Amino acid sequence: METHNNASQTLFRMVSVRNPKLTETNRINLGFIQRPIGATGFFDQAVKDRLAQSSKMAAMTKAGLSFKTLLGSENEMESGIYAQLLIIGRKISKREILSKDEIKFTKDYYNSLIDPKNKELNKKSIFQIANLWDNLIYQVVTQKDFYVKEAICHILKAIHIGFAQSINKNTELTKFTSEQLVNQGLNATIVLPKELFTEQVDEENISIEKSLTINDEVRLIHDAQKNIEVQNNILAKVALVKLNNELKAIEETYFNQKTKLMILLMLHIKKKYSHYLTN
């Protein structure tokens, strides 16, 4: 049984998100990236309106057929309003060091989303963040586009660094410096909304959480295996591109040096035998 449970978590590990059942919901735990309170959207309504015996996953899958993604492809996102956040988020995922300007950018960006008085997201920003989460949930449920799904994760990770720098410090956080809070945020994992990805059953008037159905788990494991193959292909492609670029650089250096040597040789010959040429 333990092996089966471990297998059911494969999807969440491979797509940069975490099973909500395994995560504490403390908002100030910067080790987790959680959907902000109030940032509900399209799939929350689908779950709310589902038939009595229908599972949440089934309701979201069906709703996904009519969901309109506004973010576009990965290439479109690279030149859209989230372009800089996407660049920063990719560096975070690769565990590359962010520059001071990049860290400052995330802080300034997050500060533009919040009410300066209470330090909470304003109404416009909640709608914007809810749209990002809706798109992420859509990709997780439908497995439509792996690259778009990862891009959204990168963006959310970058926004989280801004949140880490803007959060109101309570007695529990005062012992940490701003740099330490940022470091906690850099290692954060995205948590899928618990209210959407855990099922509820009413047993003798007691609300009990249960895991996904066996069919859901089998489908998720299958999708996770596909994700693994895609990631392996991505890594192989990146390695080949890097190798090709390195070979081109070496080739260019070789021909440049060869050209310089030929010029020097011609000049040497011309100088050595110049008296023959003048006679």
Side-chain angles (χ1 to χ4, degrees):
M1 189 66 176
E2 181 180 355
T3 303
H4 179 70
N5 286 338
N6 288 339
S8 71
Q9 306 307 321
T10 304
L11 172 73
F12 299 102
R13 290 198 301 269
M14 296 310 299
V15 297
S16 304
V17 296
R18 185 178 177 90
N19 188 330
K21 293 188 301 176
L22 306 179
T23 310
E24 64 172 283
T25 58
N26 189 341
R27 181 170 178 263
I28 62 173
N29 187 340
L30 296 176
F32 298 112
I33 303 171
Q34 304 179 67
R35 188 174 67 168
I37 297 173
T40 55
F42 181 85
F43 290 97
D44 295 85
Q45 191 62 45
V47 168
K48 181 180 179 181
D49 295 341
R50 75 188 188 280
L51 297 175
Q53 300 302 319
S54 176
S55 69
K56 294 179 180 180
M57 181 62 73
M60 290 190 291
T61 301
K62 182 179 179 180
L65 297 174
S66 60
F67 180 73
K68 295 182 180 179
T69 59
L70 302 177
L71 296 180
S73 66
E74 182 187 26
N75 289 337
E76 290 171 325
M77 293 168 69
E78 287 175 345
S79 58
I81 60 173
Y82 297 114
Q84 186 59 32
L85 291 172
L86 179 53
I87 292 172
I88 294 172
R90 282 172 174 164
K91 291 185 68 173
I92 294 172
S93 295
K94 294 177 183 178
R95 300 190 180 279
E96 297 178 1
I97 298 175
L98 300 184
S99 68
K100 291 182 179 179
D101 287 341
E102 288 171 328
I103 293 176
K104 183 179 184 299
F105 179 88
T106 63
K107 181 178 182 179
D108 292 342
Y109 181 85
Y110 194 83
N111 283 336
S112 72
L113 302 178
I114 61 178
D115 186 315
K117 293 181 180 180
N118 59 22
K119 300 295 184 180
E120 298 292 343
L121 295 171
N122 57 48
K123 290 183 179 181
K124 182 180 178 181
S125 299
I126 288 178
F127 178 81
Q128 180 182 343
I129 298 297
N131 180 57
L132 275 174
W133 278 92
D134 268 345
N135 277 272
L136 175 60
I137 293 166
Y138 168 75
Q139 295 297 340
V140 170
V141 170
T142 65
Q143 297 296 303
K144 188 73 174 179
D145 191 318
F146 172 84
Y147 301 99
V148 170
K149 176 177 55 185
E150 288 297 287
I152 298 170
C153 289
H154 297 327
I155 292 168
L156 289 175
K157 287 184 177 183
I159 293 175
H160 186 65
I161 300 304
F163 169 69
Q165 298 173 81
S166 307
I167 189 173
N168 280 328
K169 287 189 176 183
N170 57 18
T171 54
E172 189 176 339
L173 293 178
T174 50
K175 60 184 178 181
F176 296 106
T177 65
S178 295
E179 183 178 356
Q180 289 174 325
L181 292 176
V182 168
N183 288 336
Q184 288 183 37
L186 290 172
N187 296 313
T189 303
I190 295 173
V191 182
L192 293 173
K194 188 174 183 179
E195 58 272 23
L196 297 182
F197 287 88
T198 57
E199 301 289 346
Q200 297 284 332
V201 295
D202 189 37
E203 188 172 294
E204 295 182 356
N205 297 321
I206 300 176
S207 180
I208 303 174
E209 287 186 1
K210 71 171 185 176
S211 59
L212 298 173
T213 66
I214 297 299
N215 289 336
D216 287 336
E217 290 190 352
V218 170
R219 184 176 68 83
L220 291 177
I221 293 169
H222 174 71
D223 290 339
Q225 291 172 340
K226 288 171 60 178
N227 278 329
I228 294 173
E229 293 178 5
V230 171
Q231 285 193 329
N232 287 337
N233 289 335
I234 292 173
L235 292 175
K237 182 179 178 180
V238 170
L240 287 174
V241 170
K242 183 178 180 181
L243 177 61
N244 185 52
N245 291 337
E246 290 177 348
L247 289 174
K248 284 184 178 179
I250 293 173
E251 184 180 29
E252 184 177 350
T253 300
Y254 167 75
F255 282 113
N256 287 339
Q257 291 179 343
K258 182 178 178 181
T259 301
K260 290 179 181 179
L261 287 173
M262 290 296 294
I263 293 173
L264 290 174
L265 180 61
M266 292 299 295
L267 290 173
H268 175 72
I269 293 174
K270 184 177 180 180
K271 181 178 180 181
K272 184 174 182 180
Y273 299 99
S274 59
H275 63 284
Y276 291 106
L277 296 174
T278 55
N279 292 334

